[in-house]
Amino acid sequence: SSSSSSSFGNALWKLFLFGIVTFFFVIIVKKMQKRTEVKNIGVFQYLFGNYIDNFKCTVEGNTNVKAGDVVVLTVKHFKNNGSKHKCTATDRFDVHIPSQFTTISPIIERCKDNPHIRTVTFNPHKTGSFVPRITIMDEPLRVPTVFVKAAEIDFRKSTISPSIVHTCPNTPFSFSVAFKDSYDNNVDSVSTDVVEVKVSKCVGGGEDHEFTSMFPESVSDTVTFTCLSQLSGVYSVCAFLGDNSHAVKCTVCVLTEAEKEKFDKRSANVTTHFDGKYLKEKSNGTSSWTDCYVYITPSQIYVKESFAFFFTWKVWGARRNANTHAYVLPSELPVSFGDFRRVATSQLQLFSDAFVVDDMSGKPLLLRCSERTLLLSLFHRSNTLIQLSFEEKRKLFLSDCQLDDSRKTITLKRSSGIEYAEHLCKKLNKLKSD
């Protein structure tokens, strides 16, 4: 009886072990079946590792580049057993690059000499770091991080602020240059030693001039220049790197004490006029300087000629918008002026009080004014609203709206412009609903 009980116990123990082994075997088989279904392979392929494995595949390439450079990632395909895997269309190979770094789809090519290698080519345009997402059989690969730096400085994208400076002799003023590359990325760590600044006084001939002192200071992607001038007048300041073919420019109006007093007294919301002369073309093809009046209003600039001491007629006029420009240097005149550019160049070099106004829609006009510095200062000041961003203009408009609950009216200042009528309508609709 003891032997029969021990044999029965051994049988139960063997049955228990068999059940455990069977249980784990079924689990392994189910996982194997699920794995083979996902990878679309057979059981024996799975057992012998004869299938592509995303953990075995490698990704290499140039990952430290500048904006606009070509990035080439080399993807080597390997099987689970370590052997090379020949690239096929059934690999479900896919690449995704974040859209904020490039708008061009990556180019995927198979290497003819090495059938187990694919290349992924793309060129990022924005600075920063990102990890491209590369998948094989819907499973991600381990991809190195791509670091993108700014490209070379492009002065066609760089900006200078403020674009207009009003100051007095012996009064320090500053302007800053924000450096950008051709893809509008900020260029950091620009040395002040490589930035050249050329100052031209806008008088007859436009000879070069040096401010009494100039102190450059570099902070991140911006170089700030603090300057001082002892002489009044209109200056053109150009900042560039070696090649002067592209530069950022600003205009500096250095007013005398008397001009500064007039500038402060004259509000930007009133009309100001100056005595001047304009170059009048005659019917016989010649031209001569003729007396005129130059008017600057909050919304317009126009020129009138007087005759018989009492009567005037309008010679030229333009709306105050971003297309209205005043040129004081011959080098600033656009090539599109044609023959007028040649005539204006000679007159700007001959007269120290001459300048050109143009609105890019009609023919430009050549003017002379003894108070040119003050006139241009008021010209640019009355145009400052255009230089603001849309959000800044909107806030200015809303701050100028005065709401009177008793009369249900809104008062709008003229300087804010009529372009915000949409906001005004919304305010009125709200009042009606109330």
Side-chain angles (χ1 to χ4, degrees):
S1 62
S2 60
S3 59
S4 61
S5 60
S6 61
S7 59
F8 180 73
N10 290 335
L12 287 176
W13 176 249
K14 291 179 181 179
L15 183 61
F16 175 74
L17 292 178
F18 178 77
I20 292 176
V21 172
T22 304
F23 174 76
F24 284 104
F25 179 76
V26 171
I27 292 177
I28 293 173
V29 170
K30 287 186 176 181
K31 288 186 176 181
M32 186 185 304
Q33 183 180 7
K34 184 178 180 180
R35 190 75 173 176
T36 55
E37 289 177 355
V38 171
K39 291 185 171 293
N40 196 21
I41 58 176
V43 176
F44 288 101
Q45 285 182 283
Y46 184 81
L47 290 175
F48 292 101
N50 190 24
Y51 62 93
I52 187 171
D53 191 348
N54 61 307
F55 292 105
K56 297 288 184 178
C57 298
T58 60
V59 181
E60 301 173 348
N62 54 328
T63 55
N64 289 279
V65 296
K66 293 183 178 181
D69 290 350
V70 177
V71 178
V72 180
L73 299 180
T74 302
V75 183
K76 298 180 180 179
H77 301 69
F78 293 97
K79 297 180 180 180
N80 182 262
N81 56 18
S83 61
K84 297 178 181 179
H85 171 78
K86 183 178 180 180
C87 302
T88 61
T90 59
D91 292 338
R92 298 204 295 272
F93 187 85
D94 185 61
V95 179
H96 174 70
I97 307 296
S99 58
Q100 64 267 30
F101 291 96
T102 180
T103 57
I104 303 174
S105 301
I107 301 174
I108 303 173
E109 296 179 325
R110 301 181 192 176
C111 186
K112 296 181 180 179
D113 299 332
N114 297 294
H116 75 291
I117 294 178
R118 279 188 176 97
T119 58
V120 178
T121 306
F122 60 94
N123 55 334
H125 294 161
K126 294 299 180 182
T127 57
S129 60
F130 65 96
V131 179
R133 179 176 173 79
I134 302 178
T135 59
I136 295 180
M137 304 298 290
D138 301 328
E139 294 185 351
L141 304 183
R142 289 174 292 183
V143 183
T145 304
V146 178
F147 298 92
V148 184
K149 300 179 181 179
E152 301 299 327
I153 296 175
D154 186 350
F155 272 100
R156 289 170 294 187
K157 295 286 187 178
S158 301
T159 58
I160 188 170
S161 61
S163 59
I164 305 296
V165 178
H166 306 102
T167 185
C168 291
N170 300 318
T171 302
F173 63 92
S174 301
F175 62 91
S176 301
V177 181
F179 297 99
K180 296 180 179 295
D181 62 10
S182 56
Y183 300 100
D184 208 26
N185 297 308
N186 294 329
V187 181
D188 297 332
S189 303
V190 179
S191 174
T192 58
D193 298 333
V194 300
V195 182
E196 299 183 36
V197 176
K198 180 180 179 181
V199 182
S200 300
K201 189 173 183 180
C202 303
V203 298
E207 66 268 16
D208 292 347
H209 174 80
E210 290 187 2
F211 288 142
T212 304
S213 57
M214 186 175 296
F215 305 100
E217 181 182 2
S218 178
V219 179
S220 185
D221 61 332
T222 304
V223 175
T224 301
F225 295 89
T226 302
C227 311
L228 188 71
S229 177
Q230 294 180 344
L231 301 176
S232 62
V234 182
Y235 298 87
S236 177
V237 181
C238 300
F240 54 92
L241 294 177
D243 183 12
N244 195 15
S245 58
H246 298 290
V248 287
K249 302 179 181 180
C250 75
T251 301
V252 180
C253 297
V254 183
L255 303 169
T256 62
E257 293 296 335
E259 291 174 335
K260 186 65 168 61
E261 185 178 356
K262 292 180 181 179
F263 179 81
D264 294 335
K265 287 183 177 180
R266 298 184 184 183
S267 171
N269 297 327
V270 300
T271 299
T272 305
H273 77 278
F274 296 87
D275 295 333
K277 296 181 179 181
Y278 79 98
L279 193 63
K280 183 178 181 180
E281 295 183 358
K282 298 182 178 180
S283 57
N284 57 3
T286 61
S287 57
S288 62
W289 290 102
T290 304
D291 293 337
C292 66
Y293 300 108
V294 182
Y295 293 86
I296 298 178
T297 74
S299 60
Q300 298 181 52
I301 175 174
Y302 56 90
V303 179
K304 287 187 175 183
E305 179 184 350
S306 63
F307 61 95
F309 299 101
F310 299 104
F311 305 99
T312 61
W313 65 285
K314 192 173 182 179
V315 176
W316 183 91
R319 296 286 302 176
R320 303 312 312 279
N321 53 44
N323 294 328
T324 307
H325 299 281
Y327 302 98
V328 288
L329 281 179
S331 58
E332 296 177 346
L333 298 176
V335 181
S336 59
F337 281 179
D339 294 337
F340 177 83
R341 187 173 188 268
R342 176 180 54 82
V343 176
T345 298
S346 62
Q347 297 297 323
L348 290 175
Q349 293 175 345
L350 184 62
F351 298 101
S352 61
D353 59 350
F355 62 99
V356 177
V357 289
D358 176 55
D359 65 345
M360 300 179 65
S361 62
K363 189 174 181 180
L365 187 67
L366 184 60
L367 293 168
R368 289 176 58 191
C369 180
S370 58
E371 296 181 289
R372 186 185 67 167
T373 304
L374 178 60
L375 188 152
L376 293 177
S377 298
L378 294 172
F379 173 88
H380 292 302
R381 183 178 69 172
S382 59
N383 202 22
T384 53
L385 184 64
I386 300 172
Q387 301 173 5
L388 299 177
S389 66
F390 178 81
E391 185 63 24
E392 290 172 335
K393 292 179 181 179
R394 188 184 69 84
K395 291 180 180 179
L396 179 62
F397 168 81
L398 295 177
S399 64
D400 289 343
C401 288
Q402 300 173 359
L403 185 60
D404 188 344
D405 293 332
S406 61
R407 296 191 301 168
K408 301 292 184 181
T409 59
I410 295 178
T411 303
L412 175 64
K413 292 183 180 179
R414 183 180 179 183
S415 61
S416 296
I418 61 174
E419 62 224 55
Y420 304 107
E422 179 182 356
H423 298 285
L424 182 60
C425 292
K426 290 182 179 179
K427 288 283 186 179
L428 292 175
N429 292 333
K430 184 179 180 181
L431 290 175
K432 291 179 179 180
S433 62
D434 294 340

